[in-house]
Amino acid sequence: MDPVDSAEIPPIEALQSVFSLHETRRDGERILYYGESLVPEQMLVREVWPSFRQAGYEIQVATTPAGREDIIVARPVTNGTDGIPWKNLGLFFATVLSTMIVGALAWYHVPGSEILSNPATVLQAWPFTAAVLGVLTTHELGHYALSRYHGVDVSLPYLIPFIVPFGTLGAIIQMRGQIPDRKALFDIGVAGPLAGLAATIVVTAVGLSLPPMTVPESMVRGSGQVIIFNNPPLLNLIAAILGEQTSYPDPTTTAHPVIIGGWVGMFFTVLNLLPVGQLDGGHIIRAMLGEAQERLAAFVPIALFGLAAYLHYGLGYSFNESVGIWAFWGFLSIFIAYRGPADPIDDAPIGPARMAVGLLTFALGALCFLLVPIEMMTV
């Protein structure tokens, strides 16, 4: 790291009243300010962020390994992708492949031996892949678009390949910049669920209009038990409006796999709207209620463990059904809550219009909730 001429860096007068500056050094594109903070960290960021942001820099506060000095780390704001986003593209193509393979095996009932002898048979599952990834990607692009609108440095979506039952664990984006105010935090948080739900409704409607699939009778007879994905209220509502059915008395007949894209969108919406930490619901509630969000978040793990206990001890469901889902998310929500919510620079209230949109978003999320998302059935 090299010393920096004060003429080459953002105006340091913004630091004078809140930070005792000892030394300034450059580390690549980053500029590091060593010294002692004269105010709490959140107040320090709130005071100096506007000047640095206007000069084209994002800031973070850290301490030296020995804890003897505070460090303000300033780095240039990224206004777009820097070159070709190879990691994003690599994960995208890997997830396309994983969802297509899983779709072919689990939802289009293509025998594994047939896929091994002719890999092109996985292309039968492209509608399933398009439905699942379309919903998940639209959700993340909602966050991305509103982050860019508010000038927040954010990555392109990262899709996550996985195995059964969907071939993916979802998608994420990485927010690298500070959130300027609660309005921006709200807009970014709510954009994902609303965009994802719009795509979910379209995908569900398309899936319901497609003809049902026929399951080979040999697969039904030899399976013993099958996983049943129960319908969220929103899926039943869309089916009722369109006059389409979602289940069939013949066990060898199932709804078209594209509908699973809608189911995935609804289930992921419920999970993302949990009002804890830096999940979408945590962002929205933090923007709506301010710091009171943390008190609400403390009840989320309790509620999820309560759901798991009620399903197991009250209704007799096993752990490999929905009990395990809610128990897992109970533990995960503890970790998410421990990391804390996003803290915007300006903590002014968001106003009644956004409050109404927030309530509407949670109401739509409630239409996607199922006490028993999956269960096992003997055939």
Side-chain angles (χ1 to χ4, degrees):
M1 290 188 290
D2 302 316
V4 181
D5 189 319
S6 61
E8 300 176 357
I9 60 177
I12 62 174
E13 57 266 21
L15 302 176
Q16 292 175 354
S17 63
V18 291
F19 193 79
S20 177
L21 182 62
H22 299 164
E23 183 182 14
T24 306
R25 290 188 172 272
R26 183 181 292 278
D27 179 18
E29 291 187 333
R30 302 189 308 165
I31 303 172
L32 280 59
Y33 301 83
Y34 292 84
E36 295 178 6
S37 178
L38 306 177
V39 295
E41 179 181 325
Q42 192 169 351
M43 184 181 297
L44 172 64
V45 173
R46 188 173 297 148
E47 288 294 323
V48 304
W49 183 83
S51 297
F52 277 77
R53 191 65 172 80
Q54 188 174 5
Y57 286 82
E58 282 285 359
I59 63 167
Q60 291 179 315
V61 179
T63 58
T64 57
R68 295 176 180 175
E69 283 187 303
D70 297 311
I71 310 172
I72 296 177
V73 182
R75 60 176 181 79
V77 174
T78 302
N79 292 319
T81 57
D82 184 14
I84 300 174
W86 291 113
K87 185 181 293 185
N88 303 80
L89 289 173
L91 286 171
F92 171 77
F93 287 115
T95 309
V96 168
L97 181 61
S98 65
T99 52
M100 209 168 285
I101 292 173
V102 169
L105 288 169
W107 300 102
Y108 284 79
H109 311 291
V110 179
S113 58
E114 186 176 339
I115 293 176
L116 290 174
S117 62
N118 183 15
T121 55
V122 300
L123 294 175
Q124 296 179 41
W126 76 261
F128 171 84
T129 292
V132 172
L133 298 192
V135 166
L136 297 176
T137 304
T138 301
H139 178 114
E140 296 304 328
L141 288 177
H143 292 312
Y144 180 84
L146 267 293
S147 296
R148 288 298 185 193
Y149 174 79
H150 285 286
V152 176
D153 187 8
V154 66
S155 72
L156 287 168
Y158 295 95
L159 289 163
I160 306 172
F162 195 59
I163 51 176
V164 291
F166 310 122
T168 178
L169 280 178
I172 60 171
I173 61 171
Q174 181 184 5
M175 280 196 288
R176 299 178 289 239
Q178 297 281 348
I179 308 294
D181 51 36
R182 279 165 64 174
K183 291 180 180 179
L185 178 62
F186 178 86
D187 293 348
I188 294 168
V190 83
L194 292 182
L197 277 173
T200 293
I201 291 170
V202 171
V203 164
T204 303
V206 170
L208 288 168
S209 68
L210 293 173
M213 297 283 293
T214 300
V215 182
E217 191 172 341
S218 59
M219 296 184 68
V220 175
R221 286 200 309 267
S223 60
Q225 284 191 324
V226 296
I227 300 176
I228 302 298
F229 291 81
N230 291 318
N231 292 350
L234 180 59
L235 196 154
N236 285 331
L237 178 61
I238 297 170
I241 292 172
L242 297 178
E244 301 286 353
Q245 64 185 108
T246 62
S247 60
Y248 302 86
D250 183 357
T252 63
T253 302
T254 64
H256 197 279
V258 165
I259 296 179
I260 294 299
W263 192 97
V264 168
M266 295 176 201
F267 186 61
F268 275 54
T269 295
V270 170
L271 298 179
N272 274 298
L273 284 178
L274 291 174
V276 60
Q278 298 196 29
L279 293 177
D280 296 344
H283 288 324
I284 297 169
I285 291 295
R286 174 64 178 82
M288 294 173 69
L289 303 182
E291 294 182 356
Q293 180 265 345
E294 294 192 58
R295 293 194 292 273
L296 177 60
F299 290 98
V300 172
I302 298 172
L304 293 172
F305 287 134
L307 283 178
Y310 173 67
L311 289 178
H312 183 64
Y313 296 106
L315 300 182
Y317 286 96
S318 64
F319 188 82
N320 63 345
E321 296 180 283
S322 298
V323 175
I325 293 175
W326 300 127
F328 170 78
W329 274 90
F331 284 111
L332 187 60
S333 65
I334 293 174
F335 172 75
I336 296 171
Y338 177 77
R339 294 188 62 188
D343 286 317
I345 303 296
D346 183 356
D347 219 3
I350 60 175
R354 283 182 170 85
M355 291 289 284
V357 172
L359 293 173
L360 174 62
T361 302
F362 283 112
L364 291 172
L367 286 176
C368 300
F369 174 77
L370 270 177
L371 181 62
V372 186
I374 63 172
E375 59 184 309
M376 305 298 295
M377 185 180 75
T378 302
V379 294

